[in-house]
Amino acid sequence: MAHAYSYETALAASERVSFRLDDVLDEAADFDFAKPFLPEALAGTQQLTVLPPGERLLLNQVRGHSYLCLFGLVEEFILPFVLDHARADLSGDVRTRALLTFATEEAKHIQLFERFRACFARGFGTPCEAIGPAAAIAQAVLSHGPLSVSLLILHIEWMTQRHYVESVRDEQSLEPRFKSLLKHHWLEEAQHSKLDTLMVEQLASQLSPREIRAALEEYVAIGVQLSDLLDNQLDLDLASLERATGRPLSKQERAGVHDVQRRSLRWTFLGSGMTHPNFLTTVDAITPGGAARVRAVATQFCV
């Protein structure tokens, strides 16, 4: 593959950027609910002129909540997958150390997102729900072949990089604690994208071309299944908005909001990962023509 990633450099970088939970979000933290949580490129709320400005802000905050809940959900299957991959060769070398650090950081992120949910619930005032249970969704994802799951994880890692670099980093209007949380998550996930590239490479090296193509199709199928889960999350987000505003959406409002938010969620969690150049480079490296296949599927998830 055309990259310079190594277990040694990823481990060294992880050690440099490592953070403690209390340095990012202490348990008594308060958020500023006068500010948006997500940039417009990820939230897609400012274009909803069918809603008044105050309700668009509330929906942005609801989307910020579900954004991290969904990340917490995917960490639930990334963690055991990485541990299983490390367990295959527990020699105590730098590869093992790098993968165990990867897993440790994912466990920390799960804890960080749980802390966020508690702080958010205390300040927002009305309940916001997320799809689950996480264990059942993780089990369903992990029932697929290792290469297809590793491709999905690589999609998620590059998706995380894209969100922060292209949308979050230079946006000055965001709630500062939430933005700091996203920054620290991004810093550690930057190493995970490199390590997962190495995992994909190793797993693909053990398969025939036909088996790799089958794994790619399985990855695509998982993406389609996840789109259904995003639809479920959208229903929960709209219910959360109605609780927060204290009023039901009219039929016209619901139709307009649902259409825009469905496209926004699918781009945020599917299209932005499927079309990331580094992800497509890896896909083409393990199966020529694979990137074209993924691009074709991604068209339905791109705004």
Side-chain angles (χ1 to χ4, degrees):
M1 290 188 183
H3 62 71
Y5 307 152
S6 70
Y7 293 108
E8 292 83 359
T9 56
L11 179 60
S14 289
E15 291 170 343
R16 287 195 302 272
V17 303
S18 182
F19 64 84
R20 298 186 317 119
L21 287 176
D22 286 343
D23 293 336
V24 177
L25 191 69
D26 66 71
E27 292 182 297
D30 293 320
F31 292 110
D32 182 355
F33 287 98
K35 295 181 179 293
F37 279 47
L38 285 180
E40 179 62 13
L42 301 179
T45 53
Q46 284 306 306
Q47 60 186 297
L48 296 172
T49 55
V50 68
L51 298 178
E55 293 186 3
R56 280 179 253 156
L57 176 61
L58 285 172
L59 181 56
N60 179 289
Q61 293 163 353
V62 168
R63 282 289 310 278
H65 176 271
S66 63
Y67 180 80
L68 284 194
C69 289
L70 289 167
F71 265 112
L73 187 151
V74 301
E75 307 274 12
E76 293 279 358
F77 64 76
I78 295 175
L79 173 57
F81 182 85
V82 173
L83 285 173
D84 284 345
H85 190 73
R87 191 178 294 117
D89 183 17
L90 289 176
S91 60
D93 60 5
V94 68
R95 172 189 174 277
T96 300
R97 290 179 56 210
L99 291 175
L100 291 178
T101 298
F102 184 169
T104 298
E105 289 169 349
E106 297 291 25
K108 178 171 63 176
H109 297 168
I110 293 171
Q111 200 173 356
L112 176 63
F113 300 153
E114 289 174 348
R115 183 174 292 190
F116 161 79
R117 290 183 72 171
C119 294
F120 184 94
R122 185 175 62 248
F124 191 68
T126 55
C128 293
E129 295 181 275
I131 56 172
I137 295 173
Q139 183 179 16
V141 171
L142 293 172
S143 68
H144 294 278
L147 180 56
S148 61
V149 176
S150 193
L151 285 168
L152 175 63
I153 295 171
L154 186 61
H155 159 146
I156 293 166
E157 308 295 3
W158 285 123
M159 177 187 84
T160 306
Q161 299 303 297
R162 186 174 209 168
H163 291 179
Y164 184 78
V165 172
E166 295 184 5
S167 303
V168 175
R169 183 168 59 187
D170 297 327
E171 179 54 65
Q172 302 304 314
S173 68
L174 303 181
E175 204 290 328
R177 286 188 178 86
F178 190 79
K179 183 176 179 179
S180 174
L181 185 158
L182 295 180
K183 176 182 178 180
H184 286 83
H185 181 237
W186 162 71
L187 285 170
E188 291 190 340
E189 294 292 339
Q191 316 320 315
H192 301 177
S193 60
K194 299 170 186 176
L195 291 170
D196 196 58
T197 299
L198 296 172
M199 286 197 292
V200 167
E201 180 177 342
Q202 181 181 2
L203 290 166
S205 71
Q206 301 165 359
L207 302 177
S208 68
R210 181 184 61 80
E211 289 171 326
I212 294 172
R213 289 193 297 272
L216 181 63
E217 290 303 318
E218 198 171 358
Y219 153 76
V220 167
I222 299 172
V224 173
Q225 292 166 4
L226 291 179
S227 70
D228 293 335
L229 292 178
L230 293 176
D231 287 344
N232 294 340
Q233 183 60 56
L234 174 54
D235 290 338
L236 294 176
D237 285 350
L238 295 185
S240 296
L241 175 64
E242 290 178 326
R243 280 192 293 271
T245 61
R247 72 173 187 91
L249 293 169
S250 70
K251 184 176 181 180
Q252 180 183 4
E253 288 171 332
R254 178 172 289 274
V257 172
H258 187 279
D259 180 61
V260 171
Q261 287 294 288
R262 188 170 190 257
R263 286 186 280 114
S264 175
L265 274 165
R266 288 181 165 211
W267 161 253
T268 298
F269 288 98
L270 295 172
S272 67
M274 285 182 163
T275 59
H276 193 289
N278 290 0
F279 177 71
L280 293 173
T281 295
T282 298
V283 170
D284 248 359
I286 63 171
T287 179
R293 169 65 175 139
V294 172
R295 284 194 196 95
V297 174
T299 57
Q300 64 184 301
F301 304 129
C302 294
V303 177

